Amino acid sequence: MDIEVNWLAVVLATLAGMICAKSWYRKTAFGPVWRKLTGIGEAASQAAGKRPIVITLFANLITAIVLSVLIPAGSIVFGTKNVGVALLTGFMAWLAFSATTLATHNAFELKPAKLTWINNGYQLVLMLSMSLVIGLMQ
């Protein structure tokens, strides 16, 4: 089994992830509801500076690298290279690692279910977007 990381796909998937984050939490999408449910206002976000964005960038980069290995491995398992395998891999990664972890943490932290749905929805769109980019570049 020979899997090589497509670094251009990693960069583009990371960019797609940043676009997803910016779009999902903007004022015309889920941002206002997310702010209400978390209690994080505009002032607190401003005070945080660029730190959350930098963390998101590195998290998305790591996710893109891992997906760029998992997707070709999935293609080997299924015996075919196509976008469907890439999307299935992204969905399974979301379900196994992101959705379950977030749901567990939010349940113990007594976070509102609506917040869990908003954040898990973002994670799903993120994983599928990144997987789509990587799958198209296989």
Side-chain angles (χ1 to χ4, degrees), residues 32-82:
V33 177
W34 178 85
R35 285 192 183 285
K36 182 180 176 197
L37 293 170
T38 60
I40 299 171
E42 295 270 351
S45 291
Q46 293 295 326
K50 299 289 183 196
R51 183 175 178 262
I53 299 301
V54 171
I55 290 171
T56 302
L57 177 64
F58 281 110
N60 285 346
L61 177 61
I62 291 166
T63 301
I65 292 168
V66 171
L67 285 172
S68 74
V69 172
L70 291 179
I71 290 169
S75 294
I76 291 167
V77 168
F78 288 105
T80 183
K81 276 187 184 179
N82 63 47

Side-chain angles (χ1 to χ4, degrees), residues 4-26:
E4 292 183 25
V5 173
N6 180 337
W7 292 104
L8 178 58
V10 168
V11 169
L12 293 176
T14 301
L15 178 62
M18 297 306 289
I19 291 169
C20 285
K22 179 73 172 170
S23 300
W24 195 262
Y25 292 104
R26 69 182 312 131

